[in-house]
Amino acid sequence: MAAAAAAAAAAAAVATGRQRPEAAGPQWAPPGLGDGDGEDAPVRPLYKPRGICSRAYFLVLMVFVHLYLGNVLALLFFVHYSNGDESSDPAPQRRAQGPRPAPALGPLTRLEGIKVGHERKVQLVSDKDHFIRTLSLKPLLFEIPGFLSDEECRLIIHLAQMKGLQRSQILPTEEYEEAMSTLQLSQLELFQLLDQNRDGRLQLREVLAQTRLGNGRWMTPENIQEMYSAIKADPDGDGVLSLQEFSSMDLRDFHKYMRSHKAESSELVRNSHHTWLYQGEGAHHVMRAIRQRVLRLTRLSPEIVELSEPLQVVRYGEGGHYHAHVDSGPVYPETICSHTKLVANESVPFETSCRYMTVLFYLNNVTAGGETVFPVADNRTYDEMSLIQDNVDLRDTRRHCDKGNLRVKPRQGTAVFWYNYLPDGQGWVGDVDDYSLHGGCLVTRGTKWIANNWINVDPSRARQALFQQEMARLAREGGADAQPEWAVDRAYRDARVEL
């Protein structure tokens, strides 16, 4: 779900790489996709003029990601499996018969925001009223106080501790440099990727715009200027690189510089620990109850909600943060959604997270800091380059959270939820909502516990339908063992926890 960066204009050290953050998959989510009621409905590629989200730039970055994470091995296996000896693979016979028919899916429900501050009453549990309050219209963002009880919050934390948490982002390694060396790009091509305004000069903010992801570090203006100075990349010291200055550099100097500076936790895109808690059939009864409550809240079909990701529980210690990102990854013809890849007929090289909605729960009251910031919520317009002005990077949640448009204070039991995509006008997923950019502000005192329920929907209506059909078949024929990998975790099903 997101991740961070190296210096781009500081060279390919960033211009060419992206890393997926939490299961939070790649963080930056450009376009939406195709829809259609028939199974052959194509994925509709959407092209935007912004360089950071261009298809060409995306492909360069995704090549790095998969080299860095080793997913190329999985890809090679997939290609071998798809094109290998048919005598050892019964699937080709089925594929040769043509696509399987999939039922048409109804439109996705979507709450109306009305206006900021609007409240409506809903009943999500018996004998209790909840109130949904609109926090913004761009993105469509809501808050529900008391969605979880204090006892439920404590139980989730306890189950997560029993399961064990792991670091949300791996520290940068030398594999980054090795992956970078495999990319066949000239310095001119790198320069052109970075030079978004096409003026033949690389300003600091153009470099910073590419430092979202890369070798795992979050770069600041000071970091980049220090790097320029160390490798003598900017002789006149004006913080701007001309094409001549960029072309005369040895990019290996950047690798050496990055390798010589060990990244601290505070320098990463994300500084937290997390785990996943199963919510499907047979899970702890409280986990099941929460999933059913989310089902009533979102008003989506049970198939969509039940087949979405399990609950992610995250702990941010003092100094913890998560720089601004979006929760869904880019979807181009070269990508497939992680949750539907098992049933996709397409042989595509990259996968990404497709998260229609985010439902975030605050599990405790944070002593100080730890707000969820939406830097551009309800801005009149969205311009990616304007996120960085006068050395102020609105994506930087360690230093500039106070400058974001909207900050939500953590309150135990409160839930906030928002839509990561705009509607397409036909009841399905449309373009990604750039205004859903959000991050976790620095925890200055105490510990912050949150949980995320992501609702997964494939932008291809036909693929989502086929996925649901196949999962239903597997459930009938094979039971729990045939379910997706996340549906077999029952480690805490029978846990008896005293609260």
Side-chain angles (χ1 to χ4, degrees):
M1 181 218 132
V14 173
T16 50
R18 294 199 177 213
Q19 173 186 346
R20 191 175 173 205
E22 35 165 9
Q27 301 186 9
W28 205 251
L33 355 198
D35 64 293
D37 296 328
E39 60 185 336
D40 294 324
V43 175
R44 167 170 50 91
L46 297 173
Y47 303 95
K48 293 190 178 182
R50 298 196 306 273
I52 184 72
C53 294
S54 71
R55 180 175 168 192
Y57 186 75
F58 160 75
L59 290 176
V60 172
L61 298 181
M62 289 299 283
V63 166
F64 162 73
V65 174
H66 287 71
L67 287 169
Y68 183 69
L69 299 180
N71 284 349
V72 168
L73 295 177
L75 173 61
L76 292 175
F77 176 80
F78 174 77
V79 171
H80 172 76
Y81 182 79
S82 299
N83 301 326
D85 184 1
E86 290 192 5
S87 64
S88 62
D89 179 10
Q93 295 180 3
R94 183 174 60 201
R95 284 193 292 270
Q97 298 172 0
R100 289 164 287 174
L105 298 182
L108 297 170
T109 56
R110 186 180 180 91
L111 273 68
E112 293 295 330
I114 312 299
K115 64 178 181 179
V116 173
H118 176 77
E119 288 192 356
R120 76 198 74 191
K121 183 170 67 174
V122 295
Q123 191 168 53
L124 303 175
V125 297
S126 58
D127 304 323
K128 181 179 179 180
D129 291 331
H130 284 91
F131 291 88
I132 301 177
R133 181 170 179 264
T134 302
L135 296 184
S136 81
L137 299 179
K138 296 188 305 183
L140 197 49
L141 169 67
F142 304 91
E143 180 182 53
I144 314 173
F147 185 91
L148 300 177
S149 68
D150 293 351
E151 291 76 16
E152 289 171 331
C153 290
R154 288 196 293 269
L155 175 66
I156 293 172
I157 292 174
H158 193 95
L159 291 176
Q161 291 171 327
M162 289 175 60
K163 178 83 178 290
L165 290 87
Q166 63 185 24
R167 180 177 288 278
S168 299
Q169 183 181 324
I170 298 173
L171 291 169
T173 69
E174 293 185 13
E175 292 175 358
Y176 170 74
E177 180 178 343
E178 181 181 349
M180 289 290 301
S181 67
T182 67
L183 297 176
Q184 302 299 315
L185 287 175
S186 69
Q187 285 185 235
L188 175 59
E189 289 171 320
L190 287 174
F191 186 90
Q192 291 172 337
L193 283 172
L194 295 167
D195 186 15
Q196 293 196 23
N197 62 9
R198 302 292 184 264
D199 67 349
R201 294 154 53 90
L202 294 183
Q203 286 81 23
L204 276 177
R205 67 173 184 165
E206 288 179 308
V207 177
L208 285 170
Q210 316 302 332
T211 61
R212 231 177 249 110
L213 311 166
N215 77 340
R217 303 168 190 260
W218 181 262
M219 303 299 288
T220 66
E222 294 81 5
N223 294 150
I224 294 175
Q225 288 176 318
E226 288 172 9
M227 185 182 298
Y228 284 173
S229 176
I231 66 172
K232 299 179 173 56
D234 182 22
D236 55 13
D238 63 355
V240 178
L241 297 184
S242 66
L243 175 58
Q244 181 179 357
E245 290 172 331
F246 188 84
S247 299
S248 65
M249 297 186 310
D250 186 342
L251 297 184
R252 290 175 295 184
D253 292 339
F254 287 104
H255 301 316
K256 293 176 184 177
Y257 179 88
M258 298 299 289
R259 193 168 62 243
S260 67
H261 288 69
K262 181 180 178 181
E264 303 296 333
S265 296
S266 61
E267 298 175 315
L268 298 177
V269 172
R270 183 181 189 185
N271 181 15
S272 65
H273 290 75
H274 75 274
T275 193
W276 301 89
L277 298 181
Y278 172 64
Q279 292 182 282
E281 292 294 340
H284 191 285
H285 68 93
V286 171
M287 303 303 295
R288 287 297 296 157
I290 293 171
R291 170 150 280 183
Q292 293 302 310
R293 206 174 305 163
V294 169
L295 178 60
R296 289 189 288 272
L297 170 68
T298 62
R299 305 176 190 174
L300 294 167
S301 72
E303 293 80 8
I304 286 178
V305 175
E306 291 287 4
L307 291 173
S308 290
E309 294 169 69
L311 187 76
Q312 186 196 51
V313 183
V314 187
R315 182 189 70 225
Y316 294 90
E318 193 164 305
H321 69 278
Y322 194 172
H323 290 304
H325 59 283
V326 295
D327 282 345
S328 287
V331 179
Y332 290 112
E334 293 82 7
T335 66
I336 197 75
C337 295
S338 299
H339 75 288
T340 56
K341 65 178 180 179
L342 296 177
V343 300
N345 291 322
E346 300 94 331
S347 177
V348 297
F350 306 123
E351 65 180 75
T352 187
S353 299
C354 298
R355 293 162 171 168
Y356 176 61
M357 291 181 65
T358 298
V359 185
L360 184 153
F361 313 104
Y362 297 112
L363 303 179
N364 73 324
N365 295 310
V366 183
T367 306
E371 300 91 344
T372 302
V373 63
F374 292 80
V376 293
D378 283 328
N379 253 20
R380 183 170 299 176
T381 59
Y382 177 86
D383 176 13
E384 190 164 34
M385 290 306 296
S386 68
L387 293 171
I388 307 168
Q389 297 285 349
D390 301 323
N391 288 343
V392 172
D393 188 346
L394 292 178
R395 304 164 306 161
D396 190 332
T397 60
R398 290 185 62 85
R399 303 198 299 179
H400 301 305
C401 258
D402 60 324
K403 298 178 178 65
N405 286 357
L406 174 65
R407 297 188 303 280
V408 182
K409 182 177 177 60
R411 292 186 175 84
Q412 187 177 42
T414 292
V416 292
F417 69 99
W418 63 90
Y419 296 88
N420 295 305
Y421 293 97
L422 301 168
D424 70 345
Q426 300 178 35
W428 205 249
V429 175
D431 293 7
V432 71
D433 190 345
D434 292 323
Y435 292 89
S436 66
L437 182 71
H438 66 284
C441 297
L442 181 70
V443 176
T444 56
R445 195 161 69 251
T447 301
K448 170 186 174 183
W449 285 89
I450 65 167
N452 295 300
N453 257 154
W454 284 297
I455 310 301
N456 302 115
V457 178
D458 194 309
S460 166
R461 205 166 188 161
R463 268 204 308 258
Q464 180 69 29
L466 184 60
F467 168 70
Q468 293 177 198
Q469 181 186 60
E470 185 67 5
M471 291 302 101
R473 183 188 66 80
L474 289 174
R476 289 193 304 270
E477 297 178 1
D481 292 339
Q483 294 299 300
E485 60 184 75
W486 62 79
V488 295
D489 182 359
R490 289 164 171 73
Y492 51 87
R493 174 180 57 188
D494 300 319
R496 297 293 180 266
V497 182
E498 296 296 330
L499 299 176

